[in-house]
Amino acid sequence: MLGLRQLCLFTLRRYQARTLCSDLLFSQINACTHEDEVFSLVGRNKARLSEKHVGIALNMLWQLQKKKPFLLRTSDYVRNHSQFLTLCILAENKVEHMEDEVIVDILCSILRLDVEDHASLAKVLVTEVWKRLERQVLLSLPALSKFALCLYKQHRHFSPIIGQVAHMVDMKLDSIQDIRILSVLMISISEVITESFRDQLLHKAEQLLEEKDQVHLNYARRILQFLQNVKLKYHPLLEKCNKIFLENASHLDIHSISHIFGLYEQLGFDSAEFRLIAKQLLSEIIDDCYDPETFAKLFFSLGPMAGSKVRERLLVTAGHMAEEFSSHQVLMILKTMQKMKCRNSHLLKKMASVLHKHLESYHVLQLVKLTQYLVMLHCQDLELFAKLKMLLLGYLKSSVIPADAAAIIRVLPMLPSFQVEEIIINKAAAVLPQCRLHHLNCIATALVKWNHHGQLHWQNSSELCAKLLQKLNDCGFQRLQKANNLNLLLEELPYVNGEWFEEVLNEESLAMCQRLIDQITWRNILPLSFFLIKSDHRCPVLFDRISSVACENIDKIPPSELYFILFLFSALNYDPPDNEEFFNSCIQHLTSNLSHLEAYHLVLLGHVLAMAGYFPPALITTIFNVSFLSKLDAQLKVLPDTVKQRVQSSLMKLNRAVCLECPEFHIPWFHEPYCQRVFHTSTSRINPQRRHIHRMLTEILGGSHYSRISVLTPYCYEIDFECVLDVNKKPLSYMTQSIPLDGSGGIHLRHDIKDEGNKALPPGAQRIALEFLDSKAFSKDYSRHLKGEPAVKKRHLEMLGYQVVQIPHFEWNSMVLSTKGEQLEYLRQQLYGLQ
């Protein structure tokens, strides 16, 4: 008994001594202020290090690095130290005895220290967690999110272990209450989830964002990254994230702004408010951007919004810094120059010279984009283009990815002095069966260019191209006919345009959408509307289904999505059976959410509703308000030029429509100077067709002084031809001075907008407006239905006192009017046959 007692006492003292020693070592590691102190402790205590000591030591090494500025970190020194290798070996040996959180913390630490993904320890740690997940070991949510992020950083996006993590997230989704954890898990599993699980994650993210008053910028950015990963433009979350960025503007820096702009661009989302804040912040830090990485991000973010002085400064600085840019930064600068429509020859030469040393480092799609930018910026470096051609052809010959091959084939004809080789035709034919509609369209576009520019020069080239075109058509039809999911079809259709698709597949695409009509829901009516607008076809069955679904689910549709849905009906001048209910429900939904929409969105919505003949008082009074117009003016300064021009034009048209159709609003007409500028800068109005018609009018009326060409009416409508007939249908002469055009007698162009139409006409006289309507005025289906804009113009001209004669192109160019005499008789009937 005495011996046993002594043995127990000895064991207890030994255990207490080890525990005391361990606790002391634990404290000593935690107290280290330099990596060498950690390594020294490891070297002196190798035999006594437990799995917890190993974990805390590796974590401490990262924490010490983290405290240093990025440029002063010494990760290489840490990774190459002998004691770091000791820690890694100990961690591998003890991994089975480690707690879940310790394993995950070690994995996070070594990855942050830039240990390679294929390093032995990294593999062992991942494998151990995988084993535990397969045994249904439930990691805590913080540990699971950390582990998922590690896998994401290792680019294991499609690994079976990511599927295991996704399964665990699915099991625990209801219990996740931390938006940080959820946002990390969302981006980590985004590549392996089903559509229904994706929707559950989106709903959960919306719920947590609504419940939390303050959300960190990084969490919102991760949610945007998730949307980009799943290629979904989900407005409710986009708008919530945008609101978070606006509320946390003081925490934004150049890196986060650049990242957000990049994600917005990829998602097809824009926010004028965010642009305004970003422009202000970036303008304040422009002097602090000295290193190439920061400046490239500044150039990308600020360049497209900058005023002339800041823009010039950015271009000069980019020229000075050109030699220091990395391959990625050069691509970013050129992309931004193209977006800015900046053809600064000095900077372009500098970037081209730098590109010579970077070309080999680009992957194939980067080379494709690079070629596009250089061509659109009118680069003159033929040697650079020769190198690009060689690289692209090399990639094309070895490529087995249809998307890559199609992208190369599309961009090759852009190169100067390019001649198509037979191998390109053969490669195109080989990849066709695997191509999506977008890729087929790329190849078709290239084929058209080859023929147009005479780039086919070998024997039998026309025969090969004919076979390729036939195979192209067959593959397009087959792909459409196999479609059985409307959502998947709508993922492809918006990216397809051009002559080939319009002539070959447009009607088949519409027919397929009609066959899948039962799959139309409130979630997909926006992309379907996009496609129908682009197709320019009136398809009553689909239009009626869209209006019906919209009416039934109006509260679920984000207000910002209403514009393109309404535009479909207004632009194509189509009234669904439930027309009043459809427009009224949209208007009610819109007016109850006015404060949630940006100023320029409201203008676009106001115009599209006015085109359909609707003028909601709440919307009209909101828009035509001095403070609103000031806010709009500020937004226009930062919007892309194409959007800016569309908004300005829409505001003018809305102003005109309100003045003519709703005088009770007492809105003044203030767009005359704008219209005058547009009128004077337009150069394409007098075309040969119009000259021909005007000569015939001169012959019918009895002289050039009886008609005018290209007339600007009150409220600035431009009409092709104008004449005045008295009560007996006799033409009245114009007594005003006209300006001859090109010295051709009888053709006159008015440059003033103080129209004589304001003067009283003789009793019974009628002012006539003759309009030649080309193909753009009609939908492209067989109905030859007049579209919204020309229909509104006719309505407004009649309000201004005109009798409107519209000459459709399909009548004027028909075989019935093939002779001059028949054309004269047609015009005479149009003029004098008026009631």
Side-chain angles (χ1 to χ4, degrees), residues 305-322:
M305 304 185 290
S308 56
K309 290 183 179 178
V310 173
R311 175 188 172 114
E312 188 58 33
R313 185 176 171 188
L314 289 171
L315 294 173
V316 170
T317 307
H320 292 323
M321 209 177 278

Side-chain angles (χ1 to χ4, degrees), residues 351-367:
M351 302 309 293
S353 67
V354 174
L355 272 173
H356 283 281
K357 67 180 181 183
H358 289 309
L359 280 184
E360 300 288 344
S361 64
Y362 290 115
H363 62 66
V364 59
L365 292 182
Q366 287 178 320
L367 284 175

Side-chain angles (χ1 to χ4, degrees), residues 52 63 219 230 253 304 327 404 435 449 520 546 559 584 626:
K52 290 185 178 179
Q63 293 300 326
Y219 311 160
V230 297
D253 60 17
S327 58
D404 291 356
C435 284
K449 286 186 178 179
I520 296 176
I546 289 172
N584 287 333
V626 174

Side-chain angles (χ1 to χ4, degrees), residues 53-66:
H53 292 135
V54 172
I56 194 63
L58 285 167
N59 184 57
M60 180 54 66
L61 291 172
W62 160 243
Q63 293 300 326
L64 293 171
Q65 286 290 306
K66 185 181 176 182

Side-chain angles (χ1 to χ4, degrees), residues 133 135-139 141 144 163-176 185 189 197 200-201:
L133 290 176
R135 295 198 303 266
Q136 298 298 310
V137 174
L138 297 178
L139 270 66
L141 286 170
L144 186 65
Q164 198 74 36
V165 172
H167 174 66
M168 189 73 68
V169 174
D170 193 18
M171 291 172 57
K172 293 189 169 190
L173 187 59
D174 291 338
S175 63
I176 300 176
L185 291 169
I189 65 175
F197 188 24
Q200 291 177 51
L201 291 169

Side-chain angles (χ1 to χ4, degrees), residues 280-392:
Q280 181 183 345
L281 292 171
L282 296 174
S283 299
E284 291 171 359
I285 63 171
I286 193 169
D287 293 326
D288 301 325
C289 298
Y290 299 115
D291 64 284
E293 182 184 1
T294 306
F295 177 80
K297 290 179 178 178
L298 175 74
F299 192 90
F300 167 76
S301 304
L302 183 58
M305 304 185 290
S308 56
K309 290 183 179 178
V310 173
R311 175 188 172 114
E312 188 58 33
R313 185 176 171 188
L314 289 171
L315 294 173
V316 170
T317 307
H320 292 323
M321 209 177 278
E323 295 292 337
E324 303 173 51
F325 288 137
S326 68
S327 58
H328 174 71
Q329 289 154 10
V330 171
L331 200 61
M332 189 184 294
I333 297 290
L334 288 171
K335 176 182 179 179
T336 309
M337 287 177 68
Q338 190 267 323
K339 199 184 295 184
M340 295 163 64
K341 296 182 174 61
C342 167
R343 292 172 183 167
N344 183 298
S345 57
H346 175 72
L347 177 57
L348 193 57
K349 284 179 183 176
K350 285 252 186 181
M351 302 309 293
S353 67
V354 174
L355 272 173
H356 283 281
K357 67 180 181 183
H358 289 309
L359 280 184
E360 300 288 344
S361 64
Y362 290 115
H363 62 66
V364 59
L365 292 182
Q366 287 178 320
L367 284 175
V368 167
K369 290 178 181 177
L370 186 60
T371 305
Q372 288 177 280
Y373 301 149
L374 291 172
V375 169
M376 296 176 81
L377 291 169
H378 294 184
C379 178
Q380 301 299 315
D381 192 329
L382 296 180
E383 183 186 350
L384 181 61
F385 280 126
K387 289 182 179 178
L388 277 169
K389 174 187 171 184
M390 182 183 67
L391 288 169
L392 287 169

Side-chain angles (χ1 to χ4, degrees), residues 100-101 103-105 107-108 111 122-133 139-154 156 159 161-162 164-165 168 184-185 188:
D100 302 335
E101 284 75 8
I103 297 176
V104 173
D105 285 342
L107 181 60
C108 284
L111 292 180
K123 289 181 179 179
V124 168
L125 293 170
V126 170
T127 302
E128 180 59 29
V129 178
W130 194 350
K131 287 178 182 176
R132 297 185 187 193
L133 290 176
L139 270 66
S140 68
L141 286 170
L144 186 65
S145 68
K146 280 185 182 180
F147 180 63
L149 188 60
C150 290
L151 297 175
Y152 188 75
K153 288 179 177 177
Q154 289 182 308
R156 296 175 182 259
S159 167
I161 191 173
I162 282 288
Q164 198 74 36
V165 172
M168 189 73 68
V184 170
L185 291 169
S188 303

Side-chain angles (χ1 to χ4, degrees), residues 354-458:
V354 174
L355 272 173
H356 283 281
K357 67 180 181 183
H358 289 309
L359 280 184
E360 300 288 344
S361 64
Y362 290 115
H363 62 66
V364 59
L365 292 182
Q366 287 178 320
L367 284 175
V368 167
K369 290 178 181 177
L370 186 60
T371 305
Q372 288 177 280
Y373 301 149
L374 291 172
V375 169
M376 296 176 81
L377 291 169
H378 294 184
C379 178
Q380 301 299 315
D381 192 329
L382 296 180
E383 183 186 350
L384 181 61
F385 280 126
K387 289 182 179 178
L388 277 169
K389 174 187 171 184
M390 182 183 67
L391 288 169
L392 287 169
L393 285 173
Y395 275 118
L396 181 63
K397 290 172 184 176
S398 62
S399 176
V400 294
I401 302 174
D404 291 356
I408 296 170
I409 290 169
R410 179 175 59 86
V411 85
L412 280 173
M414 298 181 185
L415 294 169
S417 305
F418 177 74
Q419 292 294 324
V420 182
E421 299 176 20
E422 190 170 346
I423 188 173
I424 299 174
I425 300 286
N426 293 334
K427 187 70 174 185
V431 300
L432 287 182
Q434 306 166 62
C435 284
R436 306 182 80 190
L437 291 176
H438 170 58
H439 307 138
L440 293 174
N441 193 64
C442 288
I443 296 171
T445 303
L447 192 57
V448 170
K449 286 186 178 179
W450 296 338
N451 282 321
H452 182 70
H453 297 298
Q455 292 173 325
L456 301 163
H457 61 285
W458 70 89

